[in-house]
Amino acid sequence: MSARKDAGPEKGARPGRRRGSAGTRPLILEAARELFAERGFDGTSLRAVARTAGVDPAMVHHFFAGKEALFVEAMEFPVDPARLVPQLLEGPREEIGERVVRTILGLWEDAEMRSRVLAILRSVTAGEQGAAMLREFMTAALLDPVVERLGVPPERVAMAAAQMLGMVMMRFVLEVEPVVRATEEELVELLAPTFQRYLG
Amino acid sequence: MSARKDAGPEKGARPGRRRGSAGTRPLILEAARELFAERGFDGTSLRAVARTAGVDPAMVHHFFAGKEALFVEAMEFPVDPARLVPQLLEGPREEIGERVVRTILGLWEDAEMRSRVLAILRSVTAGEQGAAMLREFMTAALLDPVVERLGVPPERVAMAAAQMLGMVMMRFVLEVEPVVRATEEELVELLAPTFQRYLG
């Protein structure tokens, strides 16, 4: 245990276990960033984050809905799967292909979002650690819930994710001309049947 | 013109325009690397490479079939599109989906190849320049020839490339479990219809 004991809980300069003071949230986020980077997503528990931050575990649960939500905020992850997944899955199954294309394209209109995605891709290609962290997070927060909700084999969901990842890289990172030039309607026409086949 | 004039053509320590001596080829490759990095693929001419290397333009044509071939060697590009494209396109059109999957998967069995692809992805995500160079090369050496040979709209070929790029990233870079675990036959079954629809 590394909880600090050198100050009172509420007002000291270096308080011990904090109780929801304004500084608690950033402390938790800082500890989370440190642990996710060191141990990956799977290897990090909310309890360990609390310990590293020197706060009560209940505080972590108070501020964050779960490990996924903590990861999204701590790593400034551009998409919150907890909001994305229901958006992808709600609605008629026979329209899921089109819905996936439109939802994902909608996400990229924001320039800040694009720059954060690029930062993630950079960390992924720069070394093993970034790749492991993203893989574990994507699997737990995106692939597994979609597999469970749709009852589709994981490799089909993964191929849908692969099609989307490749399209995003070609449109926003590589900026390959025919993909940049394509309108949303053209991309829906091209891609919706692919997603419908994988996920429908 | 920057051709050096301080030595005879054949034997001097710093000869001027070289005529196929053993050192000419590496000189051309070094000049090509420099220019591709500085000006991109489109912005580099074989004439400029010859000038920078201080050799006769005929020497560049003597050693390299064209700008694509020079790029493949100079940048240690893991795939030679001049060999890949015919492999993808030869054979019955109704089997192109399956052929694409098998050809591309076959490429990645080599570990050195995988590490070079990773290096390329790294340079692409690290900065604008790498992305521009890869985009220009991919367009000229891969997308354009396939579009021309198949008579298929460029955005369809690009979506096929996107599906492949995403699959490769998930299998070999991110190492997402269901994609790593999938056998070649399973990937053919999943992906061949996608490629058949884009390219068939």
Side-chain angles (χ1 to χ4, degrees), chain A residues 75-78 108 113-131 133-134 138 161 164-174, chain B residues 118-127 131 165-166 169-170 173-174:
Chain A
M75 309 311 282
E76 299 191 340
F77 201 74
W108 306 90
M113 146 85 100
R114 286 204 296 275
S115 84
R116 281 199 261 160
V117 170
L118 197 58
I120 289 168
L121 285 174
R122 200 172 294 139
S123 90
V124 164
T125 55
E128 245 328 293
Q129 205 177 52
M133 191 162 59
L134 184 63
M138 268 184 55
M164 199 41 86
L165 174 63
M167 191 280 281
V168 162
M169 283 202 65
M170 292 190 77
R171 188 167 165 106
F172 299 111
V173 182
L174 284 169
Chain B
L118 197 58
I120 289 169
L121 285 173
R122 199 171 293 141
S123 91
V124 163
T125 54
L165 174 64
M169 283 201 64
M170 292 190 76
V173 181
L174 283 169

Side-chain angles (χ1 to χ4, degrees), chain A residues 44-198:
Chain A
T44 298
S45 67
L46 292 185
R47 182 165 294 274
V49 171
R51 201 158 48 221
T52 303
V55 306
D56 196 277
M59 277 298 108
V60 179
H61 291 281
H62 169 71
F63 283 115
F64 302 97
K67 190 158 77 164
E68 282 82 1
L70 178 58
F71 184 91
V72 167
E73 276 215 51
M75 309 311 282
E76 299 191 340
F77 201 74
V79 189
D80 183 356
R83 275 193 290 170
L84 181 65
V85 170
Q87 241 180 305
L88 294 175
L89 302 184
E90 262 157 38
R93 185 71 171 255
E94 65 271 22
E95 291 167 11
I96 193 169
E98 178 172 346
R99 203 160 55 237
V100 166
V101 184
R102 291 198 193 278
T103 305
I104 304 286
L105 285 175
L107 291 177
W108 306 90
E109 272 159 25
D110 183 39
E112 200 205 319
M113 146 85 100
R114 286 204 296 275
S115 84
R116 281 199 261 160
V117 170
L118 197 58
I120 289 168
L121 285 174
R122 200 172 294 139
S123 90
V124 164
T125 55
E128 245 328 293
Q129 205 177 52
M133 191 162 59
L134 184 63
R135 170 183 62 240
E136 292 165 2
F137 175 66
M138 268 184 55
T139 303
L142 192 64
L143 297 184
D144 287 353
V146 172
V147 166
E148 194 185 328
R149 289 275 302 271
L150 291 180
V152 153
E155 62 273 21
R156 298 189 81 85
V157 178
M159 286 305 113
Q163 172 73 82
M164 199 41 86
L165 174 63
M167 191 280 281
V168 162
M169 283 202 65
M170 292 190 77
R171 188 167 165 106
F172 299 111
V173 182
L174 284 169
E175 298 183 353
V176 173
E177 208 259 334
V179 188
V180 173
R181 198 185 45 202
T183 64
E184 178 172 331
E185 294 314 309
E186 285 166 343
L187 290 174
V188 167
E189 201 188 314
L190 278 167
L191 291 170
T194 301
F195 290 105
Q196 195 64 43
R197 194 174 71 80
Y198 292 140

